[in-house]
Amino acid sequence: MALAIALTTGLGSAALTALPASAAADSVKVQYRTSATGATADQAEPWFKVVNNGSGSVALSQVSFRYYFKADSPSTQYRYACSWAVKGCANITGTFGTLATPTATADRYLEITFTGGAGSLAPGADTGDMQLRFYRADWQTLRQSDDYSFDGSRTAYADWDKVTAKLGTGTVWGTAPGGNVPDPTPTPNPTDPTPTPTPTPTDPGPSGATLFDDFTYTSSSDPAIGAHGWSVRSNAGGPGVPGATWAPENVTFAAEGGNTIMNLETSTAGTGESTKHTEILTKTMKFKNGTYAARVKFSDAPKYGPDGDHLVQTFFPINDLKAPLADDYSEYDFEYLPNGGWGEPSNILYTTSWETYQADPWVAVNQHTESRQSYAGWHDLVLTIDNSTITYYIDGQVFGTHEAKYLPERGMSINFNQWLIDLNGQPGSTPRAYDQKVDYVLHVKDQVLTPAQVAAKVGGYRTAGTAFVDTVPGG
């Protein structure tokens, strides 16, 4: 998985000077500090407060500001993240862009905007902390000492005019680098969540083409697995650690809690050759709009051996990328990283809706929602896709709502996999293994079910003793 979008930007030294704050009844200024003070760092950590220094109330949805920096190379790509914010990370969006006139200290910028959920600021009020950060998409160390807006000596908030701010369409604060003018706001970064209203679910009715599987199998070589449309992966290739294998024998089935549970075990002894990933997927790509659901047990601790590997535990529908940036690609991920990875230091759960991507150089077009906490244990995961909205639920609650731009254009397969991003989280050679368990999977074609309706439908199958059904056409 990846949660990235290419960015480009540019800077200079001569500049446009913004109107003084006294020139407008409505105005804002930006205060800055950094918690990553070194010339180089794993990630840049610019923290901000926006202050209303005008005489009237200011809606934050009308405010934007830019932090300018120099990319490490023309092809380097970056990712934005919000660690914590008084106004809520879900109400803050970060978008990368390119300056029209690059300078010695800037060719890119990070622009921050706010959703309506951020509210407004009374005269003299500020947003409180916005603990933002960005990092290289290849997770390499970045250089920030040559960045126009960076100042490693600023470890406490103070006014900072090397960040520009706009209120509406007018620049009201700061000085842009060398001849650059803060131009109109670019298209919002599709990798960042923008809350939208929860869709009203349709009545699922008495029917609807459905896939349900209770995973009542004996082993990965059980002929019923293939007969029911599943493939247990054995072919080489990504994602994950180079040189690793995909091990069908590590997909097992056992009784637990009155049901048969599928277990995906991923193991390693610290080398690519010793690493075994696991995956099971449908053989056909016939699933599109409707409801997807699964009950999955994520694990923080290994089954045995030392902890710390950068592990990914997943449930997702996906189709194939026919060409770089092909517009008919689709993927909708639940991805749990118990030990971090992709620049994250610890537990994080992502839901990501993909429009497309390019592998080399890396370009990703997606929208994501994340939560930085432990999700160890059993969870009910529900994804609904209708003709206008993509909604992710965890344990009956809306987790993320994504835009129509990311709706699927063609059918997908349904997948579960568990794999290691790299071997940097636990570099030792002691053998260790991790488990991801799956209780059931459900897809109802072209119908949006609530989590309660999903639970009722699954309960109905189990009461009837139905372990498998597939009436979805096209398989």
Side-chain angles (χ1 to χ4, degrees):
M1 112 103 210
L3 298 170
I5 188 166
L7 76 139
T8 41
T9 330
L11 314 189
S13 50
L16 165 77
T17 302
L19 295 173
S22 60
D26 294 333
S27 187
V28 295
K29 64 180 180 179
V30 180
Q31 296 182 336
Y32 158 81
R33 60 156 293 191
T34 182
S35 62
T37 59
T40 61
D42 291 337
Q43 55 188 0
E45 298 183 43
W47 294 9
F48 301 102
K49 292 181 181 179
V50 172
V51 181
N52 180 355
N53 62 342
S55 59
S57 179
V58 169
L60 283 170
S61 61
Q62 297 299 306
V63 174
S64 62
F65 63 92
R66 290 181 177 181
Y67 177 95
Y68 301 90
F69 65 99
K70 179 75 171 179
D72 289 344
S73 75
S75 62
T76 302
Q77 298 159 28
Y78 296 84
R79 295 177 178 175
Y80 157 82
C82 172
S83 296
W84 185 81
V86 173
K87 291 294 184 180
C89 285
N91 294 316
I92 301 171
T93 299
T95 304
F96 292 108
T98 305
L99 283 180
T101 308
T103 74
T105 58
D107 54 11
R108 316 262 183 109
Y109 60 81
L110 170 65
E111 178 164 275
I112 302 301
T113 58
F114 300 88
T115 71
S120 59
L121 296 179
D126 65 62
T127 57
D129 276 348
M130 290 182 283
Q131 298 181 7
L132 311 183
R133 57 196 174 88
F134 63 92
Y135 51 93
R136 288 178 53 143
D138 60 5
W139 314 295
Q140 299 300 306
T141 298
L142 58 76
R143 175 167 297 280
Q144 56 182 355
S145 58
D146 57 354
D147 292 348
Y148 177 83
S149 296
F150 171 74
D151 186 342
S153 68
R154 290 179 175 260
T155 56
Y157 282 111
D159 294 354
W160 188 230
D161 64 3
K162 288 193 173 184
V163 171
T164 59
K166 293 168 68 177
L167 184 57
T169 59
T171 301
V172 296
W173 177 260
T175 300
N180 289 278
V181 177
D183 50 10
T185 303
T187 302
N189 186 336
T191 68
D192 297 307
T194 301
T196 55
T198 301
T200 301
T202 59
D203 183 348
S207 63
T210 300
L211 166 70
F212 172 73
D213 201 329
D214 216 9
F215 295 114
T216 306
Y217 303 112
T218 58
S219 70
S220 62
S221 58
D222 189 333
I225 293 178
H228 289 170
W230 295 98
S231 174
V232 183
R233 182 175 175 180
S234 60
N235 59 295
V241 175
T245 57
W246 294 83
E249 68 275 11
N250 285 0
V251 178
T252 57
F253 303 87
E256 184 176 315
N259 298 312
T260 301
I261 303 299
M262 177 171 66
N263 186 71
L264 285 72
E265 178 188 289
T266 292
S267 61
T268 188
T271 64
E273 293 71 21
S274 67
T275 302
K276 293 183 178 181
H277 297 149
T278 42
E279 181 169 28
I280 185 170
L281 65 156
T282 61
K283 292 186 285 187
T284 59
M285 293 187 291
K286 62 177 183 177
F287 307 98
K288 193 180 176 188
N289 286 15
T291 300
Y292 299 80
R295 184 164 173 79
V296 177
K297 185 177 185 180
F298 296 129
S299 300
D300 280 354
K303 175 189 292 188
Y304 60 81
D307 198 3
D309 285 294
H310 292 156
L311 185 72
V312 185
Q313 301 176 326
T314 74
F315 164 49
F316 59 103
I318 189 174
N319 60 31
D320 54 328
L321 183 73
K322 294 183 177 295
L325 299 177
D327 61 7
D328 64 348
Y329 176 75
S330 302
E331 179 180 352
Y332 306 93
D333 299 326
F334 288 92
E335 293 177 306
Y336 180 53
L337 283 60
N339 296 314
W342 291 324
E344 292 290 332
S346 58
N347 320 74
I348 187 166
L349 176 66
Y350 290 106
T351 60
T352 310
S353 301
W354 290 80
E355 169 64 15
T356 190
Y357 72 94
Q358 172 180 281
D360 188 18
W362 178 252
V363 177
V365 183
N366 60 32
Q367 183 175 358
H368 79 272
T369 305
E370 77 263 350
S371 177
R372 293 175 177 83
Q373 65 180 67
S374 172
Y375 281 86
W378 284 105
H379 296 283
D380 295 307
L381 311 180
V382 176
L383 161 68
T384 64
I385 303 173
D386 61 19
N387 290 323
S388 62
T389 310
I390 303 147
T391 305
Y392 297 85
Y393 298 84
I394 297 180
D395 298 330
Q397 302 298 312
V398 174
F399 182 85
T401 305
H402 297 168
E403 301 165 8
K405 174 179 178 179
Y406 306 98
L407 292 171
E409 288 85 4
R410 57 189 175 92
M412 300 173 286
S413 64
I414 296 174
N415 298 243
F416 298 88
N417 65 20
Q418 184 180 223
W419 49 280
L420 299 180
I421 298 169
D422 53 42
L423 297 171
N424 299 329
Q426 168 51 259
S429 59
T430 303
R432 59 268 190 189
Y434 301 83
D435 284 343
Q436 174 187 340
K437 296 182 178 182
V438 182
D439 186 7
Y440 70 82
V441 67
L442 173 74
H443 172 71
V444 181
K445 176 179 169 61
D446 296 331
Q447 292 185 342
V448 172
L449 275 63
T450 67
Q453 289 168 333
V454 166
K457 197 169 187 71
V458 172
Y461 282 126
R462 287 181 162 168
T463 298
T466 302
F468 174 81
V469 63
D470 185 3
T471 61
V472 179

